[in-house]
Amino acid sequence: VNSVTITPDGKYALSASDDKMVIVWNIEETKAEYVLSGHSHGVLCVAVTSDNQKAVSGSLDKEIKIWNLQTRSEECTLEGHSWAIHC
């Protein structure tokens, strides 16, 4: 695991890892709620917006992905960096 963040409402933790995934954990139930997958290399960092609606992840694949936490899906990919995204 390379990065962990907690949603502003305190209900979920998100972890970013070398397994190319961001896992959303339910803190109260101490279990994985769902997985956000789409990066082609390890995920180095993750952050959540203050309204709990979106997550942002950066990866060794040189991409930033924006995730919709309500639909549990990728909204877009931002490309253009020459190196891995370290937060």
Side-chain angles (χ1 to χ4, degrees), residues 44-84:
L44 300 177
C45 53
V46 64
V48 177
T49 58
S50 61
D51 62 2
N52 295 309
Q53 299 294 307
K54 298 183 189 313
V56 181
S57 58
S59 171
L60 286 168
D61 61 14
K62 307 175 202 167
E63 296 178 344
I64 297 169
K65 291 193 179 288
I66 311 295
W67 306 92
N68 183 312
L69 296 177
Q70 307 314 304
T71 63
R72 303 177 179 189
S73 63
E74 181 183 329
E75 283 197 349
C76 69
T77 298
L78 306 174
E79 299 175 354
H81 284 283
S82 301
W83 299 97

Side-chain angles (χ1 to χ4, degrees), residues 4-48:
V4 175
T5 191
I6 295 176
T7 57
D9 64 8
K11 294 181 180 181
Y12 299 95
L14 283 74
S15 59
S17 183
D18 289 336
D19 59 9
K20 308 177 200 172
M21 297 186 294
V22 173
I23 299 178
V24 179
W25 302 89
N26 183 314
I27 294 172
E28 185 176 311
E29 296 179 18
T30 64
K31 67 174 189 165
E33 192 76 20
Y34 57 94
V35 174
L36 301 170
S37 59
H39 283 290
S40 61
H41 289 83
V43 185
L44 300 177
C45 53
V46 64
V48 177

